[in-house]
Structures are given as C-alpha cells and as structure tokens.
C-alpha cells in the first residue's frame, strides 16, 4: 500500500533543498510540481536526459523514408505516367512530399509520445488532486510530492515540515 | 519577493521599454490573464461577435451557392481559371506563417519578447490555415471528390501524380495544419491546467480538466515537455518555409510569363511573413486594449513587430524590383509584356494599390516616434494586409488575363459570390478569433511566469553587481 505525501513550499530554493535532502534519505519516489518549469529541478531530482529527441529523430526518418517509398511505388512503379516527359522515378519531384511526411511523423510522434507514453495521459485523476490546496500548483504554488510506503508516510511528513513546508498532507493511494 | 517591488533605473540606450511592465506576483498575473476567460462577457466582444457572425452567414451562403449551383457562380472562366479562389488561398496561408514564425523561430533564438504574443499568433495561424484550406477544395469543381488527391489503394488502381505541384500542396497544407495545431495545443496544456484550477464553475472545471489531460506541473513532465516543445519549434521552422515555397511552385513550375520565375519561393515566403506580421498587429492592437493586456504586450512588442514589417517589406520590394529586372534582362517579349501590362493594363489600380501599401506605406516605420504611435501602427498594418491581397491578385488573376496569344485574352470580373467568399472568410476568421479570446488563455501564462523569474533574476544581479553586470544582462534580453 502506497501513500502520497504532499508539501507546499514558499520559495524555489527551499523546495529544491528539500528535494535534495529527501532524495539522499531514499525510500521515496519524489516529484516537484510548479506552475512553470523550475530551473534546477532535474538536477535536484536526479533525472536522466530526456529521450524525446531520439523518438523525434527516428519518427522523422521513418516518415521521410515512407514518403519517398510511397511516391516511388505509386507513380514510379504501380502507375507510371508520362507527364512532361519526366522519368517515372523522378527524385527531385519527390522531395516536397518526402520532407513534409518526415516533419509530420516527427511532430505526431512527439505529441502522442509525450502525452501517452511520457506523461501517461489521459489521466484526469491522480492522488495529488485529492488535496484541494494542490490547485495552487498550476497558479502560484510550489509543491513536492513523495510516493512512499504507507508505514513511512508520517516520518516523511514530519521531515517535510522540518524542511520548511508550509502545508503538509498525506493521501493514501486507494482513495 | 523583495526585488518584485523594487524598480531599477535603466540607462541602457538599447533598452527602450520593458517586455513586461512591473513585476506582478504569480497569483495576480494569473488573475489578470484569465480575466477574459473567467470574467463576465464584455459588451464590445458580444457586439463584435454578432457583427462578424453576420459576415460568417454571408460566407456560408456563398459556400452553399458554390457547392449546390457550381463554380459557374464565380467570375472565373478561361483564361482566368484561377482568380479569387487561389488569391484568397495564397493570401490566407501567408498570413498564417507569421504565427509559426513568431512561435518557432523566435523561440529557437530565445527572443524574450515572443513570450506574450506567441499563443495569439499561433491561434491566428490555425484559423488562417483553416480559411486557406477551404479554397483549394471548393475550387475543384466537384469538391466532394477532394479525397481523390490522397493516395489510397482504390479499386481503379489510380494514384495521384506526385510529379505535379498540386498533390505537393495537399501534403504541405495538411502537414502544416496538423503540426501547427499540435504545437499550439502542446503549449496550451499547462495553461489549460491553470484554467481548470482557477475555474469558478464546475462546468468550467470539468471541461478544462478534460482538455488538460490531467496535467499536474510535474518536474518530469516539464522536462519532457520543454524538449518536445523546442523540437516542435525546430520542426516548424523549415516547415513554414517549405509550405510557402511549395505554394509558390504552383506558379513557378508553370511556363506562363509572370509566373515562371526562380525568385518566387523566397519572395513568397518574405511576403507571407510580411502579411502575417501585419495581421498579428491588426488583431493585437484592439485585443490588448479590450482585454487590458498592455502590461504583457508592451510598446516594445509593437515596436519590434513594426521593425519586422519594415524589414520584410523591403525584402518584398526587392522581389518586385528583381521581377522587373529579370523581365527586362531575359529579353523575352512575353515576359516583359506581362509586367508592362501590370502597370498600365486594365488592372493598373490594383497594381498601384499593391505598390502603395507594400512598398510606400511601411517606410513610415523608419521613424521611431511613428513605431510607437498605436494608430499609425494599426493603419499601416491594415494597409499591408490589403496590399498583400492585391499582390496575390496581380500575380494570379492579372497574369492569367494576358498570356502568349492575344486571341485568348479576356478580363476577369468578380461576382457577388466571389466577394462573399473573401469578406465572409474574414468574418469567419474573426468569429473564430473572438471565440478563442473568450474561451482560452490568449497569453501563455506559464511562459510569462517563467519570463518574470528570469527578469527578476537579472534585476537582482543588476542591483548587486552594478552597471557592468546590468549591461551584460540587458544585452541578453534584447
């Protein structure tokens, strides 16, 4: 049984310090919540580099190759048309569609990948939303959330208070 | 928060006015930026909605006539087979480009002044592309068969001809519309979550909750989001150039004098940015007044946009000059006549309007005082919009009236349906824009908050490290 411990902080520095301290303590999956990207959050949480660029690159190449093959197959092979005496397989004429499909595949992969894979959306409900005050996380609040074993929740809550959290709540996961 | 209230005297001559007025705290910033969405309906907004709604009805009537009677209701005929339909298409798609440009290229160059206007400009792109997309479809003659342009395994085994510029258009426009939408929506998600959390009614909370997919501002999400957003900007940058280049290929790969020129791709792209920035200005000036966005869309933004209009206006002028030069230098009689006909032919007034609006009018932006005058800015941006429409008309319709064989010459006169499609689409665009301003945050709230942090940081440094550090920090801001 897991629990979520939430703590609201008044300043960025205190929030990042708390994240570093709790991370050193171990035993919890930490996350920070803020209305804008926090500078230094990745370092404080020890996050690895994002793999989104790799996904975008692979998808882009896939799109460009399939775009070229589509054109080669359709007008170069399946239904060769003599228009203006251009050869059936005329590479320069295939560049625009190849490029557009590369961009399209890449952008779709980034969007769908971010939402479905990286963020696990659509997830309209999440334990952190149980705390009414957490609504400030998208307005002006700086929050730390720790996913811990239920037995450890009180200790982590006490630690958060000691680190300067203004507001601390514990949400059991099943709720 | 002590630095928030302190104002520091700026002595940098390059720093004319700030990109963000004051240092409001996050709560105040959110409240002020969400007021148009969560606050009561404004009377001016409602009046404009009804007014443009009438124009939209005119558009729908014109579309109805086109679809159920046929394109015979238009003034088009041989030799002018392309007239208002393609003119409007090229004009609208060009307007869309400034949105992507502001968002993508300025993001890549880390231009801080883009922050407050990017969402606005992107929405303009989406609606302009939607308007543009309608014209190639309805001009097909049998628009219900438009899907024949898409490659799919039909039983007839017939495929689109990929050696023609028209299927390129299909791919370019549909990719552009899709990518613009994804880019815009990705940027919107954090602000939709803000709207969900600041909502005053349950219905708002549910709707914005679903639209934000459950965004909770997690540091992990921000990390991937930022990179994804930046990459999307990187993809949009060559995309926007490719789209208008491909549109120009519709003309440039033909052999008609006046169309068959290699300068078309860059000249079309410059014209697109020119008209797009003018449209952003036309929409932004009234909107910032009505919705009180003056603290985030400052005089600095308008000043910078005026400079972009001046610069792209000069590029467009270069295009005009170069067209003339090549027409003369090629020694081609037909080519020279095409340009001669533009100036002294039956459509000389349209050409004069093009030159006055696109070449002469933007020159006022050399004077700094005029760049700061909102009325002048608005007037010139409206003129540029008209001028660019005139340019597209001159290129497309006027060229077609006079080709190689004098026996096939004929003039073109628009019908009321043509005018309905033009002014109706402007109204429909305005309606979409009004709905956007009322139901979505027009200014990217999370980005303005981040910007405020960065500016505060610089103020702090300036206060501590004295003038030398301050200058360095300000140079970064420009």
């Amino acid at each position: 049984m897991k629990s979520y411990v939430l703590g609201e902080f008044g300043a960025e520095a205190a929030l990042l310090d708390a994240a570093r301290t709790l991370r050193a303590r171990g035993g919890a999956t930490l996350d920070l919540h803020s209305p804008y990207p926090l500078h230094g959050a990745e370092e404080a949480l020890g996050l690895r580099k994002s793999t989104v660029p790799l996904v975008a690159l692979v998808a882009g190449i896939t799109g460009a190759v399939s775009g070229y093959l589509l054109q080669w197959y359709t007008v170069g092979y399946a239904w060769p048309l003599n228009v203006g005496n251009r050869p059936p397989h005329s590479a320069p004429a295939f560049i625009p569609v190849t490029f557009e499909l590369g961009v399209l595949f890449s952008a779709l992969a980034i969007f769908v990948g971010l939402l479905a894979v990286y963020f696990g959306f659509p997830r309209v409900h999440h334990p952190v939303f149980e705390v009414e005050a957490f609504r400030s996380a998208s307005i002006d609040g700086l929050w730390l959330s720790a996913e811990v074993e239920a037995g450890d929740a009180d200790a982590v809550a006490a630690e958060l208070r000691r680190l300067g959290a203004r507001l601390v709540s514990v949400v059991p996961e099943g709720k | 928060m002590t630095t928030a209230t302190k104002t520091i005297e700026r002595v940098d001559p390059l720093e004319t006015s700030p990109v963000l007025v004051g240092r409001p705290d996050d709560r105040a910033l959110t409240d002020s930026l969400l007021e148009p969405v969560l606050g009561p309906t404004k009377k001016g907004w409602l009046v404009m909605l009804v007014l443009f709604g009438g124009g939209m009805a005119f558009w729908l009537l014109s579309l109805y006539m086109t679809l159920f009677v046929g394109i015979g209701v238009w003034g088009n005929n041989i030799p002018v087979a392309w007239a208002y339909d393609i003119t409007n298409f090229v004009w609208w798609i060009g307007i869309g480009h400034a949105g992507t440009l502001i968002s993508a290229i300025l993001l890549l160059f880390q231009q801080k002044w883009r922050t407050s206007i990017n969402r606005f400009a992107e929405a303009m792109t989406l609606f302009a592309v939607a308007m543009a997309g309608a014209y190639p479809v309805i001009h097909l003659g049998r628009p219900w068969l438009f899907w024949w342009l898409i490659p799919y395994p039909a039983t007839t085994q017939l495929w689109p001809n990929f050696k023609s510029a028209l299927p390129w258009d299909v791919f370019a426009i549909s990719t552009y519309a899709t990518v613009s939408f994804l880019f815009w929506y990705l940027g919107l998600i954090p602000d939709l979550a803000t709207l969900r959390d600041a909502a005053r009614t349950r219905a708002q909370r549910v709707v914005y909750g679903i639209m934000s997919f459950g965004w909770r501002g997690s540091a992990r999400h921000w990390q991937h989001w930022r990179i994804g957003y930046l990459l999307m900007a990187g993809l949009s940058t060559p995309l926007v150039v490719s789209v208008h280049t491909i549109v120009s290929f519709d003309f440039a790969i033909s052999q008609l004098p006046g169309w068959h020129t290699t300068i078309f791709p860059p000249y079309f792209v410059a014209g697109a940015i020119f008209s797009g920035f003018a449209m952003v200005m036309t929409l932004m000036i009234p909107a910032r007044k009505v919705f009180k966005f003056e603290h985030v869309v400052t005089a600095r933004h308008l000043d910078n946009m005026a400079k972009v209009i001046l610069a792209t206006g000069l590029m467009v002028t270069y295009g005009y000059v170069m067209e003339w030069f090549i027409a003369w230098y090629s020694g081609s009689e037909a080519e020279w006549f095409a340009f001669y006909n533009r100036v002294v032919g039956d459509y000389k007034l349209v050409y004069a309007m093009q030159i006055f609006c696109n070449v002469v009018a933007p020159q006022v932006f050399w004077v700094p005082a005029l760049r700061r005058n909102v009325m002048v800015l608005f007037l010139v941006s409206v003129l540029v919009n008209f001028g660019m429409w005139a340019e597209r008309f001159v290129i497309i319709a006027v060229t077609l009236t006079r080709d190689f064989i004098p026996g096939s010459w004929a003039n073109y006169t628009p019908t009321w349906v043509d005018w309905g499609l033009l002014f109706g689409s402007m109204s429909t665009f305005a309606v979409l824009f009004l709905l956007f301003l009322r139901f979505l945050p027009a200014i990217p709230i999370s980005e303005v908050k981040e910007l405020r942090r960065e500016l505060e940081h610089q103020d702090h440094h300036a206060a501590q490290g004295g003038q030398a550090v301050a200058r360095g920090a300000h140079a970064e801001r420009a």
Side-chain angles (χ1 to χ4, degrees):
Chain A
M1 186 67 182
K2 295 260 183 196
S3 276
Y4 275 85
V5 185
L6 297 174
E8 199 209 355
F9 286 80
E12 280 177 35
L15 178 74
L16 294 176
D17 279 341
R20 283 189 206 100
T21 314
L22 277 182
R23 194 172 138 238
R25 181 182 177 275
T29 311
L30 298 177
D31 209 342
L32 303 176
H33 304 267
S34 54
Y36 51 87
L38 279 176
H39 294 276
E42 282 133 54
E43 169 268 314
L45 292 175
L47 299 181
R48 272 176 300 167
K49 263 187 99 170
S50 176
T51 46
V52 173
L54 186 70
V55 171
L57 179 70
V58 171
I61 293 171
T62 310
V65 170
S66 42
Y68 195 92
L69 288 179
L70 169 84
Q71 297 176 83
W72 167 79
Y73 173 77
T74 54
V75 301
Y77 174 78
W79 188 262
L81 265 182
N82 187 340
V83 181
N85 217 22
R86 296 180 189 92
H89 177 191
S90 46
F94 293 171
I95 289 171
V97 173
T98 305
F99 173 78
E100 299 297 330
L101 280 183
V103 170
L104 182 66
F105 273 48
S106 192
L108 281 171
I110 292 172
F111 190 80
V112 176
L114 276 179
L115 260 55
V117 183
Y118 288 93
F119 300 165
F121 292 166
R123 183 173 184 178
V124 179
H125 191 261
H126 189 276
V128 295
F129 293 135
E130 286 296 328
V131 179
E132 184 63 19
F134 186 78
R135 284 170 83 168
S136 74
S138 66
I139 299 168
D140 62 352
L142 301 167
W143 289 77
L144 184 148
S145 76
E147 193 188 340
V148 295
E149 288 301 326
D152 200 19
D154 289 338
V156 173
E159 182 79 12
L160 272 179
R161 262 186 220 104
R162 195 185 62 75
L163 289 165
R166 297 193 297 205
L167 206 148
V168 177
S169 340
V170 178
V171 188
E173 195 176 30
K175 212 185 157 212
Chain B
M1 298 285 159
T2 47
T3 47
T5 47
K6 207 185 289 173
T7 3
I8 293 146
E9 266 318 305
R10 307 198 182 288
V11 285
D12 193 336
L14 292 174
E15 193 77 3
T16 46
S17 55
V19 285
L20 179 66
V21 175
R23 296 283 182 267
D25 72 17
D26 288 341
R27 175 79 53 178
L29 203 61
T30 308
D31 286 346
S32 70
L33 295 181
L34 287 184
E35 183 54 27
V37 183
L38 299 175
T41 308
K42 289 210 161 42
K43 211 177 228 152
W45 180 86
L46 210 62
V47 168
M48 271 160 69
L49 189 72
V50 171
L51 204 71
F52 289 119
M56 188 173 159
F58 191 24
W59 189 62
L60 293 174
L61 176 69
S62 306
L63 278 181
Y64 173 86
M65 290 295 288
T66 306
L67 291 174
F68 288 88
V69 182
I71 47 175
V73 295
W74 295 356
N76 298 19
N77 214 328
I78 300 301
V80 189
W82 281 357
Y84 273 27
D85 46 350
I86 301 301
T87 302
N88 296 348
F89 160 66
V90 180
W91 185 64
W92 274 121
I93 197 96
I95 284 171
H97 285 3
T100 320
L101 207 91
I102 288 176
S103 274
I105 298 183
L106 298 183
L107 176 69
L108 293 180
F109 285 132
Q110 305 194 342
Q111 291 289 302
K112 290 198 173 65
W113 65 276
R114 98 182 240 291
T115 303
S116 316
I117 51 171
N118 67 347
R119 166 94 30 86
F120 201 89
E122 278 167 49
M124 182 196 75
T125 296
L126 282 180
F127 305 144
V129 173
M131 291 299 106
Y135 293 102
V137 172
I138 58 171
H139 99 301
L140 289 175
R142 294 189 213 172
W144 48 92
L145 298 178
F146 75 92
W147 45 277
W148 283 11
L149 286 156
I150 300 162
Y152 66 99
T155 49
T156 55
Q157 296 192 322
L158 196 68
W159 298 100
N161 172 24
F162 284 111
K163 287 173 272 180
S164 152
L166 302 181
W168 301 349
D169 254 2
V170 175
F171 278 79
I173 306 300
S174 57
T175 298
Y176 186 49
T178 313
V179 175
S180 302
F181 176 76
L182 296 180
F183 187 54
W184 178 72
Y185 201 88
L186 196 63
L188 203 53
I189 290 174
D191 286 354
L192 288 171
T194 308
L195 258 175
R196 171 198 65 199
D197 293 336
R200 287 169 199 172
T201 67
R202 172 141 184 92
Q204 282 174 338
R205 204 173 170 183
V206 170
V207 171
Y208 293 121
I210 292 169
M211 284 171 77
S212 62
F213 293 109
W215 177 268
R216 50 188 184 276
S218 151
R220 291 184 167 77
H221 294 177
W222 278 123
Q223 185 203 16
H224 298 305
W225 180 88
R226 281 178 77 172
I227 291 173
Y229 193 62
L230 198 69
L231 283 172
M232 208 86 114
L235 287 169
S236 305
T237 304
L239 179 68
V240 81
V241 174
S242 83
V243 169
H244 226 64
T245 300
I246 290 173
V247 169
S248 82
F249 284 164
D250 293 346
F251 309 100
I253 69 166
S254 75
Q255 288 169 355
L256 210 61
W259 281 8
H260 184 61
T261 32
T262 47
I263 199 160
F264 262 30
Y267 161 55
F268 266 53
V269 172
I273 298 161
F274 183 52
S275 62
F277 268 84
M279 187 59 105
V280 176
M281 199 102 100
T282 311
L283 297 171
M284 183 58 96
I285 288 171
R288 82 195 259 274
K289 185 91 194 148
V290 173
F291 292 106
K292 302 189 176 61
F293 287 149
E294 279 102 339
H295 62 306
V296 284
V297 183
T298 65
R300 170 93 171 276
H301 291 100
L302 299 179
D303 188 63
N304 281 359
M305 284 197 280
K307 286 178 190 163
V308 174
I309 290 178
L310 177 60
T312 46
L314 291 173
M315 291 179 209
V316 169
T317 306
Y318 172 80
Y320 297 161
V321 174
M322 214 21 81
E323 273 189 327
W324 273 100
F325 173 74
I326 294 295
W328 167 76
Y329 188 68
S330 66
S332 158
E333 206 182 332
E335 187 78 19
W336 180 250
F337 176 73
F339 286 89
Y340 174 78
N341 179 53
R342 284 181 186 179
V343 188
V344 299
D346 293 340
Y347 297 93
K348 57 176 178 272
L349 281 179
V350 186
Y351 189 77
M353 178 173 145
Q354 169 192 338
I355 296 299
F356 175 74
C357 297
N358 294 351
V359 179
V360 182
Q363 303 309 321
V364 301
F365 289 151
W366 286 105
V367 184
L370 295 176
R371 287 202 303 270
R372 278 182 227 118
N373 185 323
V374 177
M375 276 317 290
V376 173
L377 286 171
F378 185 73
L379 193 71
V380 172
S381 64
V382 171
L383 281 181
V384 168
N385 282 318
F386 280 116
M388 281 308 293
W389 188 86
E391 184 207 300
R392 306 312 192 193
F393 180 81
V394 166
I395 290 175
I396 293 160
V398 177
T399 302
L400 284 170
T401 57
R402 301 281 183 274
D403 66 355
F404 297 101
I405 309 160
S408 67
W409 290 357
N411 278 353
Y412 163 80
T413 317
T415 65
W416 69 267
V417 183
D418 284 311
W419 288 112
L421 285 172
L422 174 61
F423 290 116
S425 72
M426 290 182 195
S427 300
T428 311
F429 174 81
V431 167
L432 290 171
F433 213 85
L434 286 168
L435 294 176
F436 160 74
L437 286 174
R438 182 74 180 100
F439 294 105
L440 291 172
I443 311 281
I445 305 167
S446 65
E447 286 183 45
V448 174
K449 285 177 189 165
E450 202 188 350
L451 173 71
R452 192 191 70 111
R453 283 290 175 300
E454 289 172 19
L455 296 180
E456 239 170 44
H457 198 66
Q458 283 165 6
D459 292 348
H460 189 66
H461 273 293
Q464 279 189 333
Q467 231 36 65
V469 181
R471 256 192 216 114
H474 290 165
E476 253 173 61
R477 278 178 59 178

